[in-house]
Amino acid sequence: MASIVQSNSGANTTGDDVVSAQSARDISEEIRALQLDSSEDNGAIDVDETRPKEADGVVELEEDVEGSSNNEQMQVEQKEREKVQAPVHEANEAVDIVEDVTNKKRHLNVVSIGHVDAGKSTIGGQILLLSGQVDDRTIQKYEKEAKDKARDSWYMAYIMDTNEEERAKGITVEVGRARFETETTRFTILDAPGHKSYVPNMISGASQADLGVLVISARKGEFETGYEKGGQTREHVLLAKTLGVSKLIVVVNKMDEPTVNWSKERYDEIESKMIPFLKGSGYNVKKDVQFLPISGLVGSNIKTRVEKSVCPWWNGPCLFEALDSVDIPARDPKSPFRMPIIDRFKDMGTVVMGKVESGSIREGDSLVIMPNKVNVKVLSIYVDENKVRSAEPGENLRVRLSNIEEEDISSGFVLSSISKPIPVVNEFIAQLQILELLDNAIFTAGYKAVLHIHSVVEECEIVELLQQIDLKTRKPMKKKVLFVKNGASVVCRIQLSNMICVEKFSDFQQLGRFTLRTEGKTVAVGKITDFNA
């Protein structure tokens, strides 16, 4: 069992993030076509088309875990580098890893999403406790700390919410990260913030995930607050779908709360309201969505099925069983290497952190960092706290590089294969779905927004509207388009302030889908269709 490692990443951003119910209904058909080109009549998604086979994983910010002193480590690495004098290759060959136990189980990345105070951090803490990642002494410490703050029920969330601001406010601000294992799967869990002020951080977490756990509070009034206009349940679902989260486990939390008391009627009410919305957002509810009731605070129906004496009507799986049963497409380790960089630091050289979206990597590889086109060599690789010789798609890595300094790397740069580097552009053609503009705003040439794509956050401007798409026929309209309103689909030219690394959606979906936000509000989702010559 891997020991727990937790970290937080993402910048704080404030604003009023809303996606109205009407907007969601109006654009449901186009959302399916735009985001993932569904092949099912009811919005079902072919999973193989939903996410690139070579893309999956999570980024992490964590300390370099090494037992030896700096001198000893440098000597060991020097000996290893002397051994690895094989011809340069493009990170497509796999070799045995030093700690091969990490690769015996499949690895999945799970993002926890939902409205603020739905119980995401508490569930994350309970998962870590039940999987043996946290000991009783630590729990007792958190219980005392929460009691001293007069917040007795928050203690389980303290496992995931590690900084004082989060514990004082009782809300998640940054993306918390931790790991646990079942008998068949290694999981990396991302605890995304639910507050509307921190949606960009939620985007960062969801863009890294294979599947999502949508947490809904069953408490009287709390589900309604999160689901109705102004709540984050709706926006989180739409963003998750846009960002490539093709599978959802919807957990109805707080079932033990006195206003609920494991009521089947309340559970059925929530499920009946969520299903039409999930379908409208592009999810195939039968294939890609599971519902189940839980209590995050006391741990009911998480690791083991809830007792019949507590919930006599539930005959389905517990959360661990549901997570283990999720089927994610196999990844292709032989495609061109892509690892968007989330952060970097100095430690006996320059270390970059990110998730492998495509291809494989091993010690001794020669790669290139884009967009500054600096050739680098891989000195060492870490998966979790284990030093390894190689890693495949979907893994969370810290990679020590030579021939580059920390100050020459920024978040959003991409570690890439030399023979086929990732494209670098400052302008592209995109198909956009307008969700909900700010009041009195008009979407036309000159419209400015903030672009979010993989680990890139960059200011952009709409420089030209090329075609409007008919929502019924999904074909371009002949008339010239000068502006569009909420719910419209449009092909446009987007210009950026700086050069960024992206892919066409048709070539690599995970690096070709994006969101546009203005003044803290998600106004559009889109996919890159072409680059300018």
Side-chain angles (χ1 to χ4, degrees), residues 249-512:
I249 297 176
V250 183
V251 296
V252 182
N253 190 29
K254 305 187 183 182
M255 289 295 293
D256 61 325
E257 209 272 334
T259 65
V260 183
N261 197 24
W262 294 93
S263 165
K264 186 176 187 301
E265 289 72 24
R266 178 59 167 168
Y267 176 85
D268 289 344
E269 176 192 1
I270 292 171
E271 185 178 36
S272 66
K273 288 182 178 179
M274 286 302 301
I275 285 176
F277 176 71
L278 291 170
K279 286 182 178 179
S281 300
Y283 282 100
N284 178 352
V285 176
K286 291 183 179 179
K287 287 175 57 179
D288 301 329
V289 179
Q290 294 184 70
F291 284 82
L292 57 99
I294 69 168
S295 168
L297 186 61
V298 299
S300 298
N301 211 37
I302 293 183
K303 185 178 181 180
T304 57
R305 297 191 182 191
V306 62
E307 296 289 338
K308 287 293 183 182
S309 59
V310 175
C311 185
W313 51 269
W314 180 250
N315 297 310
C318 63
L319 180 57
F320 276 30
E321 290 173 328
L323 288 169
D324 269 338
S325 70
V326 172
D327 185 23
I328 298 296
R331 301 155 177 144
D332 181 10
K334 295 187 177 181
S335 52
F337 186 75
R338 300 283 187 268
M339 191 185 89
I341 295 170
I342 191 70
D343 204 356
R344 75 279 187 243
F345 61 90
K346 282 189 176 182
D347 182 8
M348 293 185 295
T350 299
V351 178
V352 296
M353 294 169 285
K355 61 169 182 174
V356 181
E357 292 280 16
S358 169
S360 300
I361 185 173
R362 79 172 192 182
E363 283 185 352
D365 274 346
S366 289
L367 300 170
V368 61
I369 289 186
M370 303 293 284
N372 53 355
K373 300 180 181 178
V374 177
N375 288 342
V376 296
K377 188 170 183 179
V378 176
L379 301 181
S380 53
I381 306 167
Y382 293 86
V383 175
D384 299 334
E385 71 272 23
N386 301 312
K387 184 176 179 182
V388 299
R389 297 270 319 268
S390 68
E392 295 191 346
E395 292 292 355
N396 320 306
L397 304 182
R398 288 172 293 124
V399 182
R400 182 174 286 112
L401 303 172
S402 66
N403 198 41
I404 193 166
E405 296 299 324
E406 175 195 6
E407 55 267 23
D408 296 325
I409 304 173
S410 297
S411 296
F413 284 18
V414 177
L415 190 59
S416 175
S417 66
I418 293 176
S419 63
K420 192 173 181 181
I422 188 170
V424 177
V425 302
N426 68 348
E427 191 172 295
F428 56 80
I429 307 299
Q431 183 176 339
L432 280 181
Q433 182 67 54
I434 310 300
L435 300 178
E436 185 178 26
L437 300 170
L438 298 177
D439 293 342
N440 303 319
I442 298 175
F443 194 88
T444 185
Y447 188 92
K448 295 182 179 181
V450 177
L451 174 87
H452 293 257
I453 184 166
H454 61 85
S455 55
V456 171
V457 179
E458 190 67 50
E459 292 183 357
C460 68
E461 179 179 346
I462 310 301
V463 293
E464 184 182 5
L465 300 187
L466 301 175
Q467 294 174 315
Q468 186 168 356
I469 306 298
D470 188 299
L471 296 180
K472 294 182 179 179
T473 64
R474 298 181 182 175
K475 295 181 179 180
M477 300 168 67
K478 293 183 179 180
K479 64 179 181 180
K480 185 175 177 61
V481 57
L482 297 177
F483 66 91
V484 293
K485 299 179 180 179
N486 290 343
S489 180
V490 63
V491 177
C492 59
R493 188 185 306 275
I494 299 178
Q495 191 173 78
L496 297 118
S497 304
N498 296 297
M499 304 294 287
I500 65 169
C501 301
V502 293
E503 298 271 8
K504 294 179 186 177
F505 183 82
S506 58
D507 294 337
F508 197 102
Q509 295 181 9
Q510 196 62 17
L511 298 178

Side-chain angles (χ1 to χ4, degrees), residues 1-219:
M1 189 78 69
S3 61
I4 177 171
V5 177
Q6 300 173 179
S7 63
N8 295 310
S9 61
N12 296 353
T13 305
T14 60
D16 183 12
D17 302 323
V18 182
V19 175
S20 69
Q22 186 60 45
S23 296
R25 287 194 297 270
D26 291 345
I27 67 173
S28 62
E29 289 297 323
E30 186 59 16
I31 281 280
R32 293 194 291 271
L34 167 64
Q35 294 170 336
L36 299 169
D37 298 328
S38 170
S39 61
E40 305 262 353
D41 292 338
N42 67 347
I45 295 143
D46 184 341
V47 177
D48 289 333
E49 295 298 324
T50 301
R51 293 178 64 81
K53 293 182 180 179
E54 64 270 37
D56 285 285
V58 183
V59 268
E60 66 173 298
L61 306 180
E62 60 176 327
E63 294 300 321
D64 197 1
V65 182
E66 299 183 44
S68 61
S69 67
N70 287 355
N71 291 335
E72 291 171 341
Q73 183 63 34
M74 291 175 69
Q75 292 172 2
V76 169
E77 291 191 355
Q78 179 61 33
K79 291 179 181 178
E80 290 172 348
R81 288 196 296 272
E82 290 172 357
K83 294 177 183 178
V84 186
Q85 295 298 329
V88 172
H89 62 86
E90 288 305 321
N92 290 334
E93 301 176 33
V95 297
D96 293 335
I97 62 174
V98 175
E99 294 287 348
D100 62 355
V101 66
T102 60
N103 275 1
K104 288 182 178 178
K105 297 180 180 180
R106 70 169 183 161
H107 175 238
L108 295 182
N109 305 284
V110 185
V111 63
S112 179
I113 60 175
H115 192 67
V116 64
D117 202 33
K120 298 183 295 298
S121 297
T122 296
I123 292 171
Q126 191 67 252
I127 287 173
L128 296 176
L129 175 64
L130 293 173
S131 61
Q133 303 288 356
V134 182
D135 58 33
D136 290 338
R137 181 177 297 181
T138 302
I139 291 296
Q140 291 171 6
K141 172 189 170 185
Y142 290 156
E143 280 187 291
K144 182 180 185 304
E145 187 176 339
K147 190 172 183 179
D148 291 343
K149 289 182 170 68
R151 296 288 188 269
D152 293 26
S153 63
W154 290 4
Y155 75 96
M156 196 62 69
Y158 283 7
I159 300 172
M160 296 298 299
D161 292 340
T162 56
N163 69 47
E164 285 305 315
E165 179 187 3
E166 292 176 320
R167 292 182 178 183
K169 291 181 177 179
I171 60 174
T172 301
V173 175
E174 300 176 344
V175 178
R177 183 187 182 283
R179 295 187 298 274
F180 77 100
E181 296 185 16
T182 63
E183 290 185 1
T184 62
T185 311
R186 292 183 297 121
F187 291 98
T188 298
I189 52 177
L190 292 168
D191 179 28
H195 196 279
K196 61 186 178 182
S197 297
Y198 308 111
V199 169
N201 297 351
M202 175 269 169
I203 291 173
S204 173
S207 68
Q208 303 162 23
D210 302 316
L211 66 146
V213 174
L214 174 63
V215 181
I216 292 175
S217 172
R219 179 182 287 163

